[in-house]
């Protein structure tokens, strides 16, 4: 489709503008909008030629434009608040002043409209393009920025946000998620945005989150609600250090999101372009539930791999064996795995290293040859034994890392990210390989491709168990050390992309010492992610709830383990509500527990199309009440599944499903009921959707760590 092209008459004399937020003469010359079905960003070009955005949520449109309304503010020429762009030009000038050039609208091959707003600096040949891709039906707008250096010398980007949306400061709240290892996403915080700058960021380099998360919600009508109110989810597609700064300057709020400018000055040679990561914004005027259903639907189409394929039931050996296994012990897990219905076996850490065998986490990382004592014939027989028994086979990798106790480190000590003159700082006894170095890129790719080329390997878990604390590269020149943070992630994505393209039928799980790398930048190369090593189901209920604001449950790996020693029925029920898997030594399981697992797997197979592709309704918030409850509804509203997870003792009060067809008749029954518990009162009975949503369904659980999974089918 031919781009539509708009050129507005401009007044390029911006120099008289002051920082005083002057209202004089700043009346818009032209206006345009970028929007989806229910969400519109309104832009105006002022008489000064600058680009302004009318604040989201503003009740009255002020005829005058203020400097604080600037859409993508630049540092150094009058704008005194947090800038989106800060450039040091080739001649050392630290100011940038962008003037609107033109607007083009095109349609990409998915039918989504891409709008590009071209800006330029009249005094310096730097071009900036603000890009927006709009998914009409899902109210999703992705935004990113391209900066091109046409100067004759090197320019330095000191700050380069992907997006800087402007909000009216009317009761705006921010909900963000703090965490740590085993506590990922477990601490949602909702707070009003007040004058000053609130920063969510990470400086971890090779993973976005561990503490802060690059996904958040801005709500415009006070704290966000599940079924009402205006909310905008934000999620940055970036797996490295990020910054989301909410700058309330008293007039309005800028949400500036992008790579973290911390220590990341980026030099652009003449002719070079810098493209920021994409920022995803999802709008709803009907609360968090509607917002996440739209985001899940977008993610299934564009945000992850194979969003329209159901997932296999996986058995992982990590919690069951840790590093303590050999060929026979692993093969010994296959028959019981098949018997209870699992479909895919994942061999975790500990299968490689010979001079320095990987028998614990102190040695062997980087030496990706199968350990000859444990696996004398390598990986192929393990995989083929699995396939013979009707299971698929998957493998664990941590391609970016090295233990100093390894042959790799002996041969290439200069390949690690470290600071010369400082003692090596280890995390989990390991270092990060410097992916900016082409030899490291080639090395990592050869390991990945060799391992994934082993016949019958059709699944891999890509782990990353540390972050950067000493960001030095012996490959990058002295004047380019600050590129490490960004160039690492760019090289990582190239590797992930090549992996996904070369092995299109190999499913990939994104993992990072638990959930340290959960973002849409990486997820587009993966089918799913590992949210946390914490698999205690009482913790997983609120954790999965929080992840589900942004990610579809089919992408959230949820495994049954012995963490927390919870009843098997409760653990299975929680895992069934996301991508179901197990991490148990089935040979050590009691017959009773095995039966519960087998029942859960068979029930999951019956409903997994609904939990994967259906709409999610969050019903009762486990952070706030004695239980958590959710339900999924199939796209045709013919089937639904409701989950109730009792976290504290309480009453068996009705849970009210949502999203059913009010006029349809549905029959209710409990799936894989807990042994010994009375049937639910509604079992086998038929009700209209309206009745079920109004009167609710009483689940079979009333005591802590009981759960009830209820199928509702027409
Ligand atoms: C961290 C992951 O989160 C675990 O699931 C496991 O794969 C270990 N790494 C293995 O070292």
């Amino acid at each position: 489709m031919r781009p539509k092209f708009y050129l507005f008459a401009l007044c390029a004399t911006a120099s008289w503008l002051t920082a005083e937020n002057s209202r004089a003469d700043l009346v818009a010359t032209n206006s345009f909008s970028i929007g989806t079905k229910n969400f519109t960003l309104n832009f105006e070009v002022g008489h000064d030629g600058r680009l302004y955005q009318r604040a989201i949520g503003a009740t009255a449109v002020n005829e005058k434009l203020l400097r604080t309304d600037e859409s993508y503010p630049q540092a150094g020429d009058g704008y005194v608040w947090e800038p989106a762009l800060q450039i040091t030009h080739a001649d050392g000038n630290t100011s940038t002043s962008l003037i609107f050039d033109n607007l083009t609208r095109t349609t990409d091959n998915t039918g989504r409209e891409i709008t590009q707003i071209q800006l330029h600096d009249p005094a310096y040949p730097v071009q900036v393009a603000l890009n927006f891709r709009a998914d009409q039906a899902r109210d999703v707008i992705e935004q990113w920025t391209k900066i091109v250096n046409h100067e004759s010398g090197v320019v330095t980007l000191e700050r380069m946000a992907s997006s800087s949306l402007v909000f009216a400061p009317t009761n705006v709240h921010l909900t963000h998620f703090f965490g740590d290892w085993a506590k990922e996403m477990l601490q949602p915080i909702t707070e009003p945005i007040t004058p000053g700058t609130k920063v969510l960021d990470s400086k971890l380099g090779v993973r976005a989150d561990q503490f802060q998360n690059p996904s958040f919600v801005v709500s415009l009508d006070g704290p966000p609600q599940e079924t009402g109110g205006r909310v905008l989810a934000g999620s940055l597609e970036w797996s490295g250090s990020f910054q989301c700064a909410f700058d309330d300057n008293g007039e309005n709020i800028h949400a500036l999101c992008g790579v973290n400018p911390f220590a990341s000055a980026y030099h652009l040679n003449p002719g070079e372009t810098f493209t920021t990561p994409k920022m995803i914004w999802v709008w709803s005027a009907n609360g968090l539930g509607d917002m996440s259903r739209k985001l899940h639907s977008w993610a299934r189409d564009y945000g992850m791999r194979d969003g329209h394929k159901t997932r296999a039931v996986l058995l992982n050996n990590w919690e069951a064996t840790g590093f303590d296994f050999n060929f026979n012990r692993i093969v010994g897990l296959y028959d019981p795995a098949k018997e209870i219905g699992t479909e895919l076996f994942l061999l975790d850490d500990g299968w490689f290293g010979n001079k320095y065998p990987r028998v614990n986490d102190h040695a062997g990382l980087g030496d990706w040859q199968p350990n000859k004592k444990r696996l004398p014939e390598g990986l192929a027989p393990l995989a083929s034994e699995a396939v013979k028994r009707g299971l698929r086979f998957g493998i664990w990798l941590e391609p970016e890392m090295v233990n100093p106790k390894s042959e790799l480190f002996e041969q290439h000590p200069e390949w690690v990210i470290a600071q010369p003159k400082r003692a090596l700082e280890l995390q989990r006894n390991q270092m990060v390989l410097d992916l900016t170095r082409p030899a490291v890129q080639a090395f990592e790719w050869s390991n990945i491709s060799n391992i994934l080329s082993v016949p019958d390997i059709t699944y891999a878990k890509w782990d990353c168990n540390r972050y950067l604390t000493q960001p030095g590269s012996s490959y990058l020149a002295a004047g380019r050390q600050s590129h490490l943070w960004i160039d690492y992630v760019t090289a990582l994505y190239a590797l992930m992309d090549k992996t996904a393209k070369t092995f299109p039928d190999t499913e990939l799980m994104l993992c990072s010492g638990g959930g340290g790398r959960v973002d849409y930048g990486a997820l587009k190369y993966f089918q799913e992610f590992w949210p946390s090593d914490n698999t205690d189901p009482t913790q997983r209920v609120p954790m999965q709830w929080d992840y589900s604001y942004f990610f579809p449950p089919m992408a959230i790996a949820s495994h049954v383990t012995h963490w927390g020693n919870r009843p098997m029925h409760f653990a299975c029920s929680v895992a069934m509500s996301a991508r179901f898997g197990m991490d148990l030594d089935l040979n050590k399981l009691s017959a009773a527990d095995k039966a519960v697992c087998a029942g859960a797997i068979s029930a999951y197979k019956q409903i997994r199309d609904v939990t994967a592709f259906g709409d999610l309704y969050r019903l009762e918030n486990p952070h706030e009440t004695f239980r958590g409850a959710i339900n999924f509804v199939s796209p045709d509203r013919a089937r639904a599944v409701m989950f109730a997870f009792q976290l504290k003792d309480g009453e068996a009060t009705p849970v009210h499903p949502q999203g059913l067809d009010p006029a349809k008749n549905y029959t209710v029954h409990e799936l894989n009921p807990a042994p010994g518990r009375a049937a639910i009162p509604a079992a086998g009975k038929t009700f209209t959707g309206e009745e079920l949503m109004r009167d609710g369904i009483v689940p079979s659980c009333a005591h802590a760590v009981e759960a009830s999974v209820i199928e509702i089918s027409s």
Side-chain angles (χ1 to χ4, degrees):
M1 186 177 174
R2 275 172 65 80
K4 287 176 231 153
F5 191 76
Y6 302 76
L7 186 62
F8 299 139
L10 296 178
C11 160
T13 50
S15 52
W16 49 266
L17 266 173
T18 68
E20 286 143 27
N21 231 5
S22 160
R23 286 170 193 262
D25 289 319
L26 292 180
V27 179
T29 54
N30 278 296
S31 57
F32 57 89
S33 45
I34 294 172
T36 62
K37 201 165 152 210
N38 304 296
F39 180 47
T40 307
L41 294 171
N42 294 311
F43 294 93
E44 299 191 8
V45 180
H47 275 302
D48 58 345
R50 295 183 192 270
L51 180 71
Y52 296 87
Q53 188 217 307
R54 289 295 187 185
I56 299 165
T59 40
V61 174
N62 191 344
E63 203 194 322
K64 307 289 186 197
L65 293 162
L66 306 178
R67 279 307 293 276
T68 46
D69 296 324
E70 231 187 299
S71 162
Y72 190 76
Q74 314 98 51
D77 187 26
Y79 190 86
V80 294
W81 300 276
E82 206 62 29
L85 183 68
Q86 183 186 357
I87 297 180
T88 303
H89 296 278
D91 64 0
N93 189 313
T94 57
S95 68
T96 298
S97 186
L98 294 178
I99 297 299
F100 175 87
D101 270 344
N102 61 58
L103 173 82
T104 53
R105 296 191 200 263
T106 51
T107 306
D108 76 4
N109 57 7
T110 66
R112 287 173 295 169
E113 184 178 73
I114 296 183
T115 306
Q116 186 171 75
I117 304 172
Q118 280 288 356
L119 309 167
H120 83 281
D121 187 328
Y124 286 92
V126 167
Q127 253 185 329
V128 175
L130 308 182
N131 299 274
F132 303 80
R133 178 162 54 192
D135 182 329
Q136 287 291 327
R138 267 78 68 100
D139 290 323
V140 175
I141 291 185
E142 291 166 275
Q143 188 184 351
W144 67 102
T145 303
K146 275 190 184 179
I147 303 151
V148 193
N149 174 19
H150 293 300
E151 296 187 24
S152 53
V154 173
V155 304
T156 303
L157 307 181
E158 319 279 355
R159 271 163 198 273
M160 49 296 203
S162 299
S163 170
S164 78
L165 296 191
V166 187
F167 294 85
T170 49
N171 206 11
V172 178
H173 281 60
L174 174 68
T175 301
H176 56 103
F177 300 84
F178 193 71
D180 198 344
W181 179 80
K183 295 190 203 123
E184 293 91 336
M185 296 290 275
L186 264 185
Q187 296 168 59
I189 298 153
T190 295
E191 56 188 319
I193 298 182
T194 52
T197 309
K198 167 81 189 176
V199 172
L200 308 179
D201 82 340
S202 106
K203 302 182 184 72
L204 306 178
V206 300
R207 47 163 82 161
D209 45 309
Q210 164 103 8
F211 309 116
Q212 285 291 1
N213 200 284
S215 299
F216 57 83
V217 178
V218 176
S219 44
L220 277 69
D221 301 307
Q225 302 153 45
E226 203 49 46
T227 54
R230 293 168 300 165
V231 288
L232 193 64
S235 190
L236 183 70
E237 296 188 13
W238 189 242
S239 309
S241 302
F242 70 92
Q243 188 188 77
C244 296
F246 301 87
D247 187 38
D248 182 338
N249 51 43
E251 292 286 350
N252 58 31
I253 299 164
H254 274 75
L256 302 132
C257 301
V259 295
N260 199 335
F262 167 73
S264 295
Y266 205 88
H267 308 286
L268 281 187
N269 288 324
E272 277 185 349
T273 301
F274 184 88
T275 305
T276 69
K278 295 190 172 69
M279 182 67 197
I280 305 166
W281 296 106
V282 192
W283 171 261
S284 173
N286 301 308
L288 296 165
D290 180 54
M291 171 202 86
S292 34
R293 283 186 288 281
K294 290 193 275 204
L295 181 48
H296 296 172
S297 168
W298 173 90
R300 283 190 286 263
D301 278 356
Y302 308 116
M304 59 193 285
R305 285 175 71 199
D306 293 337
H308 296 279
K309 277 191 195 162
T310 52
R311 305 293 190 246
V313 180
L314 182 152
L315 179 71
N316 187 197
N317 71 310
W318 178 244
E319 294 290 330
T321 69
F323 288 104
D324 183 18
F325 63 83
N326 58 20
F327 180 85
N328 288 335
R329 181 150 188 216
I330 295 300
V331 171
L333 297 170
Y334 291 167
D335 282 336
K338 183 70 190 163
E339 262 164 41
I340 65 160
T342 65
E343 298 160 312
L344 164 65
F345 182 85
L346 168 63
L347 179 65
D348 215 284
D349 196 355
W351 57 269
F352 48 88
N354 284 298
K355 181 170 175 191
Y356 301 105
R358 179 80 172 165
V359 289
N360 53 45
D361 63 15
H362 287 257
L365 259 189
D367 301 343
W368 294 103
Q369 298 73 36
N371 177 275
K372 292 207 164 75
K373 267 202 195 133
R374 294 175 164 211
L375 308 174
E377 309 298 327
L379 289 172
L382 261 191
S384 68
E385 284 300 320
V387 170
K388 264 187 230 159
R389 290 165 168 82
L391 294 169
R392 288 170 51 204
F393 185 82
I395 194 74
W396 178 93
L397 302 170
E398 194 177 8
E400 300 155 74
M401 301 287 161
V402 61
N403 284 127
K405 218 169 158 192
S406 67
E407 291 184 72
L408 175 64
F409 189 75
E410 283 176 350
Q411 288 155 18
H412 294 292
E414 77 287 5
W415 279 11
V416 300
I417 294 178
Q419 294 287 23
K421 303 187 187 159
R422 311 282 173 206
L424 285 188
E425 188 174 279
L426 304 181
Q427 272 181 2
R428 208 195 186 204
N429 313 302
Q430 66 194 59
M431 305 291 299
V432 184
L433 291 167
D434 180 2
L435 252 184
T436 65
R437 184 183 279 275
V440 170
Q441 296 165 8
F443 174 79
E444 292 188 19
W445 171 243
S446 79
N447 291 321
I448 295 166
S449 66
N450 287 342
I451 295 164
L452 298 189
S453 298
V454 170
D456 296 328
I457 290 189
T458 56
Y459 184 95
K461 175 180 183 182
W462 182 318
D463 207 344
C464 161
N465 280 292
R466 73 159 292 173
Y467 49 80
L468 295 188
T469 55
Q470 297 173 309
S473 161
S474 63
Y475 173 74
L476 294 173
R480 292 289 184 276
Q481 288 293 307
S482 56
H483 286 207
L484 177 63
W485 304 93
I486 289 167
D487 288 355
Y488 184 98
V489 182
T490 310
L492 176 69
Y493 287 161
L495 209 54
M496 289 175 166
D497 187 42
K498 204 164 167 186
T499 306
K501 286 193 175 122
T502 311
F503 300 97
D505 300 325
T506 301
E507 283 172 58
L508 300 175
M509 179 203 273
L510 180 60
C511 173
S512 180
R517 203 180 249 171
V518 182
D519 60 82
Y520 278 111
L523 191 63
K524 58 165 122 20
Y525 309 111
F526 289 76
Q527 272 79 359
E528 58 195 37
F529 65 86
W530 185 235
S532 177
D533 284 343
N534 188 342
T535 45
D536 177 343
T538 64
Q539 302 295 298
R540 277 302 187 103
V541 171
M543 191 185 276
Q544 292 173 189
W545 175 282
D546 291 347
Y547 273 118
S548 81
Y549 288 124
F550 309 102
F551 300 98
M554 71 179 299
I556 305 176
S558 189
H559 292 184
V560 179
T561 71
H562 292 300
W563 272 56
N565 278 324
R566 310 300 177 188
M568 189 54 76
H569 182 266
F570 184 73
C572 284
S573 305
V574 173
M576 282 167 72
S577 67
R579 202 282 282 125
F580 188 30
M582 311 212 132
D583 207 333
L584 295 167
D585 187 341
L586 299 178
N587 290 317
K588 291 188 181 153
L589 223 52
S590 69
D593 277 353
K594 248 191 192 175
V596 170
C597 291
I601 291 173
S602 129
Y604 176 73
K605 288 177 181 169
Q606 210 175 306
I607 55 162
R608 66 178 151 189
D609 58 328
V610 181
T611 58
F613 314 131
D615 277 334
L616 171 70
Y617 293 83
R618 284 179 298 262
L619 308 174
E620 295 182 23
N621 187 336
H623 292 287
E624 290 167 4
T625 63
F626 59 93
R627 71 182 171 199
I630 56 177
N631 76 280
F632 296 86
V633 181
S634 65
D636 62 1
R637 296 207 282 175
R639 291 161 65 211
V641 190
M642 192 178 87
F643 293 83
F645 307 118
Q646 199 82 21
L647 297 172
K648 293 184 192 133
D649 290 345
E651 298 283 302
T653 49
V655 178
H656 298 262
Q658 292 173 20
L660 304 177
D661 181 341
K664 259 199 171 93
N665 286 318
Y666 294 95
T667 306
V668 173
H669 66 272
E670 187 165 17
L671 291 170
N672 195 32
R677 238 182 281 156
I680 56 169
K685 297 188 182 146
T686 298
F687 306 87
T688 63
E690 188 182 358
E691 286 165 339
L692 288 172
M693 293 190 285
R694 186 192 59 217
D695 303 335
I697 302 170
V698 178
S700 65
C701 50
H703 300 109
V705 293
E706 290 180 348
S708 191
V709 183
I710 295 168
E711 191 177 30
I712 304 164
S713 42
S714 61

